[in-house]
Amino acid sequence: MVAMPLRALSAAFAGLMRLPPTEGWLRLADVRVASTRERLAFAAGAGAVAALVYSDALALAWMAAVLTGMALERAMWQRVRERIAAGDKPPAIGLGAAVFTLSAVSGSLALVLWSNHAAGGDVVAALFLSAILLSAMVTMRAAPPLALASALPALAYVGVAPLLHGGPIDGARFGGILAGLVLLVAFTATIWPRLAQSDRAARAAHEAAQ
């Protein structure tokens, strides 16, 4: 009785950890490069909110670090495309480490925002982390291990930020924020298979047309 669920869970985990084929890497690189402008605008907007609304100078340093990191990430994915064109395999571990680091730096703004919890900063932080999670799941769905590497820091900040903001934790308020994040993750997990199915259908149609 117990063996079947464990085998199903093991199979699901193995699928999640499977690296994409060459075309998957190319699709991932294309999406990340193409979405750079939107992600830069989002980061600049989030940093401006933290700096202007909450008068937190740390947000300016965060903005400089994240904008630089995103520019470097764009160059990294462009290099990935060049390596694939030359017949080389992408460095999966290095890419995962880079994605994890950028996500950790990006998500750290949640600590700044949550420290202003009395002025609603915790709600803004939760929305900010939600956007990071959604971006990771949607733009990196071609490579689930990298999507997970990008999502883990945001999930960690959900637990860490309330403990570091220096004030008493409002249980009801935190519970509501946490429930909203759980709903977002559940929604993303539900929509992911449909997006993957759409990707496969588009790829099959493209191959059939050639």
PDB file of all heavy atoms in Angstrom, residues 105-127:
ATOM      1  N   VAL A 105      19.521  37.198  -4.237  1.00  0.00           N
ATOM      2  CA  VAL A 105      19.758  38.642  -4.159  1.00  0.00           C
ATOM      3  C   VAL A 105      18.463  39.405  -4.434  1.00  0.00           C
ATOM      4  O   VAL A 105      18.117  40.354  -3.724  1.00  0.00           O
ATOM      5  CB  VAL A 105      20.859  39.065  -5.149  1.00  0.00           C
ATOM      6  CG1 VAL A 105      21.001  40.587  -5.179  1.00  0.00           C
ATOM      7  CG2 VAL A 105      22.189  38.433  -4.766  1.00  0.00           C
ATOM      8  N   SER A 106      17.726  38.986  -5.450  1.00  0.00           N
ATOM      9  CA  SER A 106      16.480  39.664  -5.801  1.00  0.00           C
ATOM     10  C   SER A 106      15.479  39.584  -4.659  1.00  0.00           C
ATOM     11  O   SER A 106      14.848  40.575  -4.287  1.00  0.00           O
ATOM     12  CB  SER A 106      15.874  39.040  -7.064  1.00  0.00           C
ATOM     13  OG  SER A 106      16.735  39.156  -8.164  1.00  0.00           O
ATOM     14  N   GLY A 107      15.322  38.392  -4.098  1.00  0.00           N
ATOM     15  CA  GLY A 107      14.340  38.205  -3.035  1.00  0.00           C
ATOM     16  C   GLY A 107      14.679  38.889  -1.728  1.00  0.00           C
ATOM     17  O   GLY A 107      13.809  39.078  -0.880  1.00  0.00           O
ATOM     18  N   SER A 108      15.947  39.280  -1.559  1.00  0.00           N
ATOM     19  CA  SER A 108      16.353  39.902  -0.291  1.00  0.00           C
ATOM     20  C   SER A 108      15.633  41.220  -0.030  1.00  0.00           C
ATOM     21  O   SER A 108      15.574  41.675   1.111  1.00  0.00           O
ATOM     22  CB  SER A 108      17.869  40.121  -0.266  1.00  0.00           C
ATOM     23  OG  SER A 108      18.261  41.052  -1.268  1.00  0.00           O
ATOM     24  N   LEU A 109      15.064  41.827  -1.064  1.00  0.00           N
ATOM     25  CA  LEU A 109      14.298  43.052  -0.845  1.00  0.00           C
ATOM     26  C   LEU A 109      13.116  42.797   0.077  1.00  0.00           C
ATOM     27  O   LEU A 109      12.646  43.710   0.765  1.00  0.00           O
ATOM     28  CB  LEU A 109      13.804  43.623  -2.177  1.00  0.00           C
ATOM     29  CG  LEU A 109      13.039  44.954  -2.095  1.00  0.00           C
ATOM     30  CD1 LEU A 109      13.957  46.078  -1.617  1.00  0.00           C
ATOM     31  CD2 LEU A 109      12.429  45.317  -3.449  1.00  0.00           C
ATOM     32  N   ALA A 110      12.646  41.557   0.115  1.00  0.00           N
ATOM     33  CA  ALA A 110      11.527  41.228   1.001  1.00  0.00           C
ATOM     34  C   ALA A 110      11.866  41.512   2.463  1.00  0.00           C
ATOM     35  O   ALA A 110      10.992  41.901   3.242  1.00  0.00           O
ATOM     36  CB  ALA A 110      11.150  39.760   0.828  1.00  0.00           C
ATOM     37  N   LEU A 111      13.144  41.348   2.824  1.00  0.00           N
ATOM     38  CA  LEU A 111      13.549  41.636   4.209  1.00  0.00           C
ATOM     39  C   LEU A 111      13.429  43.127   4.506  1.00  0.00           C
ATOM     40  O   LEU A 111      13.014  43.525   5.596  1.00  0.00           O
ATOM     41  CB  LEU A 111      14.985  41.164   4.437  1.00  0.00           C
ATOM     42  CG  LEU A 111      15.261  39.683   4.172  1.00  0.00           C
ATOM     43  CD1 LEU A 111      16.727  39.368   4.420  1.00  0.00           C
ATOM     44  CD2 LEU A 111      14.369  38.806   5.032  1.00  0.00           C
ATOM     45  N   VAL A 112      13.807  43.942   3.512  1.00  0.00           N
ATOM     46  CA  VAL A 112      13.689  45.396   3.665  1.00  0.00           C
ATOM     47  C   VAL A 112      12.225  45.795   3.769  1.00  0.00           C
ATOM     48  O   VAL A 112      11.830  46.578   4.638  1.00  0.00           O
ATOM     49  CB  VAL A 112      14.358  46.119   2.482  1.00  0.00           C
ATOM     50  CG1 VAL A 112      14.145  47.630   2.582  1.00  0.00           C
ATOM     51  CG2 VAL A 112      15.846  45.786   2.431  1.00  0.00           C
ATOM     52  N   LEU A 113      11.405  45.253   2.900  1.00  0.00           N
ATOM     53  CA  LEU A 113       9.987  45.598   2.892  1.00  0.00           C
ATOM     54  C   LEU A 113       9.296  45.129   4.171  1.00  0.00           C
ATOM     55  O   LEU A 113       8.507  45.869   4.774  1.00  0.00           O
ATOM     56  CB  LEU A 113       9.309  44.972   1.672  1.00  0.00           C
ATOM     57  CG  LEU A 113       9.730  45.526   0.310  1.00  0.00           C
ATOM     58  CD1 LEU A 113       9.211  44.644  -0.813  1.00  0.00           C
ATOM     59  CD2 LEU A 113       9.231  46.958   0.133  1.00  0.00           C
ATOM     60  N   TRP A 114       9.598  43.898   4.602  1.00  0.00           N
ATOM     61  CA  TRP A 114       8.904  43.340   5.764  1.00  0.00           C
ATOM     62  C   TRP A 114       9.263  44.088   7.043  1.00  0.00           C
ATOM     63  O   TRP A 114       8.505  44.109   7.992  1.00  0.00           O
ATOM     64  CB  TRP A 114       9.240  41.854   5.913  1.00  0.00           C
ATOM     65  CG  TRP A 114       8.103  41.063   6.530  1.00  0.00           C
ATOM     66  CD1 TRP A 114       7.564  41.227   7.773  1.00  0.00           C
ATOM     67  CD2 TRP A 114       7.369  40.005   5.925  1.00  0.00           C
ATOM     68  NE1 TRP A 114       6.554  40.344   7.985  1.00  0.00           N
ATOM     69  CE2 TRP A 114       6.405  39.574   6.860  1.00  0.00           C
ATOM     70  CE3 TRP A 114       7.438  39.380   4.692  1.00  0.00           C
ATOM     71  CZ2 TRP A 114       5.517  38.526   6.599  1.00  0.00           C
ATOM     72  CZ3 TRP A 114       6.553  38.351   4.433  1.00  0.00           C
ATOM     73  CH2 TRP A 114       5.604  37.934   5.382  1.00  0.00           C
ATOM     74  N   SER A 115      10.442  44.718   7.055  1.00  0.00           N
ATOM     75  CA  SER A 115      10.825  45.479   8.249  1.00  0.00           C
ATOM     76  C   SER A 115       9.906  46.670   8.470  1.00  0.00           C
ATOM     77  O   SER A 115       9.855  47.230   9.558  1.00  0.00           O
ATOM     78  CB  SER A 115      12.281  45.951   8.132  1.00  0.00           C
ATOM     79  OG  SER A 115      12.413  46.898   7.077  1.00  0.00           O
ATOM     80  N   ASN A 116       9.173  47.061   7.423  1.00  0.00           N
ATOM     81  CA  ASN A 116       8.191  48.136   7.543  1.00  0.00           C
ATOM     82  C   ASN A 116       6.775  47.559   7.659  1.00  0.00           C
ATOM     83  O   ASN A 116       5.821  48.079   7.075  1.00  0.00           O
ATOM     84  CB  ASN A 116       8.266  49.045   6.310  1.00  0.00           C
ATOM     85  CG  ASN A 116       9.589  49.774   6.211  1.00  0.00           C
ATOM     86  OD1 ASN A 116       9.826  50.787   6.857  1.00  0.00           O
ATOM     87  ND2 ASN A 116      10.483  49.239   5.376  1.00  0.00           N
ATOM     88  N   HIS A 117       6.657  46.478   8.420  1.00  0.00           N
ATOM     89  CA  HIS A 117       5.379  45.770   8.506  1.00  0.00           C
ATOM     90  C   HIS A 117       4.258  46.633   9.060  1.00  0.00           C
ATOM     91  O   HIS A 117       3.095  46.455   8.711  1.00  0.00           O
ATOM     92  CB  HIS A 117       5.533  44.501   9.349  1.00  0.00           C
ATOM     93  CG  HIS A 117       5.939  44.770  10.767  1.00  0.00           C
ATOM     94  ND1 HIS A 117       5.039  44.852  11.796  1.00  0.00           N
ATOM     95  CD2 HIS A 117       7.156  45.006  11.315  1.00  0.00           C
ATOM     96  CE1 HIS A 117       5.690  45.090  12.932  1.00  0.00           C
ATOM     97  NE2 HIS A 117       6.973  45.187  12.657  1.00  0.00           N
ATOM     98  N   ALA A 118       4.598  47.591   9.920  1.00  0.00           N
ATOM     99  CA  ALA A 118       3.553  48.441  10.490  1.00  0.00           C
ATOM    100  C   ALA A 118       2.875  49.295   9.422  1.00  0.00           C
ATOM    101  O   ALA A 118       1.722  49.700   9.568  1.00  0.00           O
ATOM    102  CB  ALA A 118       4.141  49.337  11.575  1.00  0.00           C
ATOM    103  N   ALA A 119       3.595  49.569   8.327  1.00  0.00           N
ATOM    104  CA  ALA A 119       3.039  50.385   7.240  1.00  0.00           C
ATOM    105  C   ALA A 119       2.607  49.525   6.054  1.00  0.00           C
ATOM    106  O   ALA A 119       2.484  50.015   4.942  1.00  0.00           O
ATOM    107  CB  ALA A 119       4.074  51.407   6.780  1.00  0.00           C
ATOM    108  N   GLY A 120       2.390  48.239   6.312  1.00  0.00           N
ATOM    109  CA  GLY A 120       1.940  47.356   5.249  1.00  0.00           C
ATOM    110  C   GLY A 120       3.046  46.773   4.407  1.00  0.00           C
ATOM    111  O   GLY A 120       2.779  46.154   3.367  1.00  0.00           O
ATOM    112  N   GLY A 121       4.292  46.933   4.845  1.00  0.00           N
ATOM    113  CA  GLY A 121       5.406  46.410   4.062  1.00  0.00           C
ATOM    114  C   GLY A 121       5.403  44.903   3.943  1.00  0.00           C
ATOM    115  O   GLY A 121       5.902  44.357   2.954  1.00  0.00           O
ATOM    116  N   ASP A 122       4.821  44.215   4.940  1.00  0.00           N
ATOM    117  CA  ASP A 122       4.774  42.758   4.858  1.00  0.00           C
ATOM    118  C   ASP A 122       3.884  42.292   3.713  1.00  0.00           C
ATOM    119  O   ASP A 122       4.176  41.306   3.043  1.00  0.00           O
ATOM    120  CB  ASP A 122       4.318  42.147   6.183  1.00  0.00           C
ATOM    121  CG  ASP A 122       3.050  42.790   6.720  1.00  0.00           C
ATOM    122  OD1 ASP A 122       2.568  43.775   6.124  1.00  0.00           O
ATOM    123  OD2 ASP A 122       2.522  42.319   7.748  1.00  0.00           O
ATOM    124  N   VAL A 123       2.804  43.015   3.475  1.00  0.00           N
ATOM    125  CA  VAL A 123       1.915  42.660   2.364  1.00  0.00           C
ATOM    126  C   VAL A 123       2.628  42.889   1.025  1.00  0.00           C
ATOM    127  O   VAL A 123       2.558  42.057   0.111  1.00  0.00           O
ATOM    128  CB  VAL A 123       0.617  43.479   2.421  1.00  0.00           C
ATOM    129  CG1 VAL A 123      -0.271  43.169   1.215  1.00  0.00           C
ATOM    130  CG2 VAL A 123      -0.132  43.201   3.722  1.00  0.00           C
ATOM    131  N   VAL A 124       3.324  44.028   0.921  1.00  0.00           N
ATOM    132  CA  VAL A 124       4.081  44.321  -0.306  1.00  0.00           C
ATOM    133  C   VAL A 124       5.166  43.263  -0.506  1.00  0.00           C
ATOM    134  O   VAL A 124       5.403  42.800  -1.637  1.00  0.00           O
ATOM    135  CB  VAL A 124       4.701  45.729  -0.242  1.00  0.00           C
ATOM    136  CG1 VAL A 124       5.519  46.011  -1.497  1.00  0.00           C
ATOM    137  CG2 VAL A 124       3.621  46.783  -0.073  1.00  0.00           C
ATOM    138  N   ALA A 125       5.820  42.848   0.584  1.00  0.00           N
ATOM    139  CA  ALA A 125       6.860  41.815   0.495  1.00  0.00           C
ATOM    140  C   ALA A 125       6.281  40.500  -0.011  1.00  0.00           C
ATOM    141  O   ALA A 125       6.891  39.817  -0.840  1.00  0.00           O
ATOM    142  CB  ALA A 125       7.516  41.612   1.859  1.00  0.00           C
ATOM    143  N   ALA A 126       5.102  40.147   0.493  1.00  0.00           N
ATOM    144  CA  ALA A 126       4.466  38.899   0.054  1.00  0.00           C
ATOM    145  C   ALA A 126       4.122  38.954  -1.432  1.00  0.00           C
ATOM    146  O   ALA A 126       4.323  37.978  -2.162  1.00  0.00           O
ATOM    147  CB  ALA A 126       3.214  38.634   0.881  1.00  0.00           C
ATOM    148  N   LEU A 127       3.600  40.086  -1.882  1.00  0.00           N
ATOM    149  CA  LEU A 127       3.293  40.240  -3.305  1.00  0.00           C
ATOM    150  C   LEU A 127       4.569  40.166  -4.142  1.00  0.00           C
ATOM    151  O   LEU A 127       4.590  39.566  -5.231  1.00  0.00           O
ATOM    152  CB  LEU A 127       2.577  41.569  -3.551  1.00  0.00           C
ATOM    153  CG  LEU A 127       1.166  41.686  -2.972  1.00  0.00           C
ATOM    154  CD1 LEU A 127       0.649  43.119  -3.113  1.00  0.00           C
ATOM    155  CD2 LEU A 127       0.216  40.715  -3.657  1.00  0.00           C
TER     156      LEU A 127
END
